[in-house]
Amino acid sequence: MSRYYLTTPIYYVTAKPHLGHAYTTIIGDALARWHRLLGDDVHFLTGTDEHGQKVQDYADEAGKSPKEFVDEIAPLYADAWRHLGITNDDFIRTTEERHKIGVAELLQRCYDAGDIELDLYKGKYCVACEEYYTDDELDPGDLCRIHKRKVEYYEEENYFFRLSRFEDRLLQWYADHPGSIKPEFRGNEALGLIRGGLRDFSVSRTTLKWGIPIPWDPAHVAYVWFDALANYITAIGFGSDDERFQQWWPARHLIGKDIIRHHCVYWPAMLLSAGLEPPAGWAVGGWLLVGGEKMSKTSGNVVNPLELVDDGLDGFRYYVLAETAYGQDGDFTYEGLIARYNSDLANNLGNLAARVATVVEKKCGGIGPAPAADSPLAAVASTSYAATAAAWDEVQPSRALEATWQLIRATNSHLESNEPWKAEPGPAVDAVMGDALEALRIVAILASPAVPQAAQAVWSRIGLPGSVSDQRLPDAASWGGYPGGLTVVKGDPLFPRK
Ligand code: MSP
């Protein structure tokens, strides 16, 4: 069994989660579910990023202590993920003890390696990014390019991480691990950042109090990104449970394109400095835009994901996964959500499930026949599985679903050309329906990472016992698994048209 440790970014707890946060988390959940189907030992981590100037500022504004403030917001994330069917195995908060211990250990290791040194910092800082910028990285008027707001001027004594020393080591590491950042064009962006020259970055603040103290100089607290990135190792026991840490590390990180520098440049360098292995991989997503702009609290265009799942979770999950090629930006629209739902779910999957159950009820006495070994759909199922698996492996959920939906479309066409609803009961009808049931069985498995509720409903309605998520690929996708002789029930429409 291979271990598959997958992480999402940990989200700033400045406000309740929005669709942009749900986007990465749903991709992660679908991937985690896919890998469980493959039989991997999966550990899926998400959590909240609770320290730093930005959180401190929000707490001040709300007239609360930072601790009170984060204790109110962090559970909103955990709750949202529960409502969206997210199957994370752990949820880390950076204010937890296990995290603080691990961050101190990581800092100390980099310090002992000679890669953290005291220096004077003068420069411009975007609090929203929690990042220093040089003049050529800012828009005219000293505006941050991401947040379009004026940066602040800081001058203080900071500890610096000597990132500049890692240029060659990082380039060498990436050369030795080709394809570790997906999609490839995002990997090229990361390499471009490294080749463009690396600047040391400050890892401590003296003006900030809301953070983790530097172990050898507690007048400083750790820079929020150093603190935050460490969550990926502290959550699995770094500094507190070494055996567990060894079991799970390295991770595969899902991130947004805005945090490539931190994850693909800073983070592997920090790990190398501490004598740890860099991550096993990164998958970088684009942004979900609303009206052409990144959804963010600052832009005022936030969509609450929980308002989109009132009448069913799967339609929303499917839209998020299928609509946009992972890595590219995508546009969120309500019209797009409904259109996807009606075409792929109501008309394709829902219609197939309803037709099969209706015909089996009317023409086969409600008992599902077994499939034929030489069914024309067998080859389609095999190609569809191969393409689905390859696309999940590339972290391309939209392509994976497209490949799975090929089998749904082919099965609908098979029914339309045979018209079993017009035929007299008998072996010919049984043959067509056995094949359709077998295709549905495979579809239920392959679609389950995206639409877990509907997949389970299909599974149970065609009479299969237990949970579809207990199936194991690739065996479960081989043609011929539907045993026949099971009671098939129609049930309510899976996806009533909207
Ligand atoms: N706390 C840091 C991450 C630390 S990870 C060690 C942070 N938090 S965030 O809440 O601002 O954003 C987290 C992730 O959510 C980022 O990767 C970001 O790209 C993603 N998204 C936030 N808004 C988004 C969209 N509108 N669309 C897609 N993803 C977006 O950065």
Side-chain angles (χ1 to χ4, degrees):
M1 196 192 283
S2 56
R3 291 221 156 85
Y4 186 82
Y5 173 31
L6 180 69
T7 68
T8 73
I10 50 171
Y11 304 103
Y12 287 129
V13 284
T14 45
K16 65 183 181 199
H18 63 60
L19 183 55
H21 304 129
Y23 177 66
T24 313
T25 311
I26 290 174
I27 306 260
D29 180 65
L31 264 179
R33 288 175 187 261
W34 176 259
H35 279 271
R36 291 189 194 107
L37 287 175
L38 289 179
D40 289 346
D41 192 6
V42 173
H43 188 70
F44 176 34
L45 174 73
T46 187
T48 41
D49 188 355
E50 306 192 2
H51 290 129
Q53 190 60 50
K54 176 149 76 170
V55 173
Q56 171 85 61
D57 290 350
Y58 273 90
D60 290 349
E61 215 173 282
K64 299 196 166 122
S65 75
K67 179 77 173 105
E68 281 169 339
F69 183 76
V70 299
D71 282 347
E72 277 172 25
I73 310 265
L76 302 180
Y77 281 80
D79 278 358
W81 303 154
R82 227 187 31 249
H83 279 99
L84 297 179
I86 305 300
T87 55
N88 53 300
D89 297 289
D90 194 2
F91 187 101
I92 178 121
R93 298 183 53 187
T94 55
T95 46
E96 286 174 57
E97 211 42 43
R98 60 172 168 163
H99 180 70
K100 294 182 190 165
I101 294 169
V103 169
E105 169 77 17
L106 181 65
L107 282 162
Q108 189 68 51
R109 284 216 201 175
C110 298
Y111 185 63
D112 292 346
D115 292 323
I116 292 183
E117 292 170 339
L118 198 61
D119 219 331
L120 184 70
Y121 188 84
K122 293 183 197 163
K124 293 167 183 171
Y125 193 75
C126 171
V127 175
C129 295
E130 296 275 17
E131 190 59 84
Y132 283 116
Y133 288 115
T134 53
D135 287 338
D136 59 348
E137 292 169 328
L138 296 168
D139 278 343
D142 279 350
L143 300 184
C144 158
R145 289 198 181 137
I146 294 177
H147 295 94
K148 315 282 180 223
R149 71 183 225 195
K150 204 171 160 66
V151 295
E152 289 173 31
Y153 185 79
Y154 276 20
E155 185 171 326
E156 61 173 358
E157 206 167 51
N158 287 175
Y159 282 97
F160 276 77
F161 181 80
R162 297 300 184 202
L163 185 66
S164 53
R165 295 177 188 159
F166 286 83
E167 206 168 307
D168 292 342
R169 268 178 281 179
L170 287 175
L171 288 174
Q172 188 58 50
W173 190 88
Y174 278 114
D176 294 342
H177 299 82
S180 53
I181 304 178
K182 294 176 194 318
E184 196 185 349
F185 78 99
R186 295 288 179 201
N188 294 337
E189 273 179 53
L191 289 180
L193 291 174
I194 302 171
R195 292 200 186 105
L198 297 181
R199 266 198 331 258
D200 298 341
F201 65 92
S202 112
V203 295
S204 76
R205 303 283 184 273
T206 46
T207 43
L208 175 72
K209 297 290 166 245
W210 180 236
I212 298 174
I214 301 288
W216 63 89
D217 188 351
H220 290 248
V221 308
Y223 167 47
V224 64
W225 270 101
F226 199 99
D227 168 339
L229 288 162
N231 90 86
Y232 303 129
I233 57 175
T234 64
I236 50 165
F238 179 75
S240 59
D241 183 347
D242 209 47
E243 203 178 313
R244 186 153 175 268
F245 171 68
Q246 297 298 342
Q247 251 175 26
W248 287 106
W249 189 251
R252 286 157 206 279
H253 299 310
L254 280 174
I255 61 173
K257 66 176 185 180
D258 50 334
I259 54 180
I260 291 182
R261 178 189 299 276
H262 306 92
H263 281 80
C264 307
V265 184
Y266 292 7
W267 179 227
M270 287 158 57
L271 289 161
L272 287 170
S273 167
L276 301 171
E277 216 182 311
W282 298 255
V284 184
W287 286 339
L288 268 194
L289 309 174
V290 175
E293 268 201 74
K294 181 184 181 218
M295 191 177 313
S296 70
K297 193 171 182 234
T298 337
S299 312
N301 59 354
V302 292
V303 173
N304 179 355
L306 298 184
E307 283 165 11
L308 301 173
V309 298
D310 283 349
D311 49 357
L313 182 55
D314 286 346
F316 171 61
R317 287 179 59 109
Y318 182 82
Y319 171 74
V320 162
L321 291 161
E323 184 73 4
T324 306
Y326 189 69
Q328 310 285 348
D329 287 348
D331 240 312
F332 171 83
T333 62
Y334 290 96
E335 295 74 19
L337 176 63
I338 307 270
R340 272 276 165 194
Y341 174 94
N342 281 336
S343 70
D344 296 4
L345 298 178
N347 292 354
N348 276 304
L349 176 56
N351 189 25
L352 176 63
R355 266 171 161 179
V356 168
T358 306
V359 178
V360 169
E361 185 179 274
K362 293 205 173 118
K363 310 274 172 170
C364 313
I367 304 296
D374 60 352
S375 163
L377 288 176
V380 184
S382 153
T383 328
S384 161
Y385 171 67
T388 301
W392 281 116
D393 197 47
E394 282 301 308
V395 193
Q396 284 298 327
S398 63
R399 287 207 328 248
L401 294 171
E402 178 52 36
T404 299
W405 256 248
Q406 294 291 350
L407 179 56
I408 299 177
R409 292 196 190 97
T411 310
N412 269 324
S413 309
H414 186 63
L415 290 174
E416 276 147 26
S417 43
N418 285 286
E419 300 187 309
W421 41 83
K422 288 188 181 160
E424 285 306 313
V429 170
D430 286 357
V432 174
M433 296 322 293
D435 291 352
L437 282 159
E438 171 60 352
L440 258 185
R441 182 191 69 83
I442 295 173
V443 162
I445 301 170
L446 302 188
S448 66
V451 290
Q453 294 178 343
Q456 183 59 44
V458 168
W459 188 258
S460 305
R461 287 176 188 192
I462 62 175
L464 291 163
S467 169
V468 64
S469 60
D470 291 337
Q471 295 301 303
R472 289 295 168 262
L473 296 169
D475 289 359
S478 313
W479 188 261
Y482 187 73
L486 305 177
T487 302
V488 174
V489 294
K490 186 156 181 226
D492 295 333
L494 283 177
F495 299 105
R497 267 190 76 86
K498 289 188 185 162

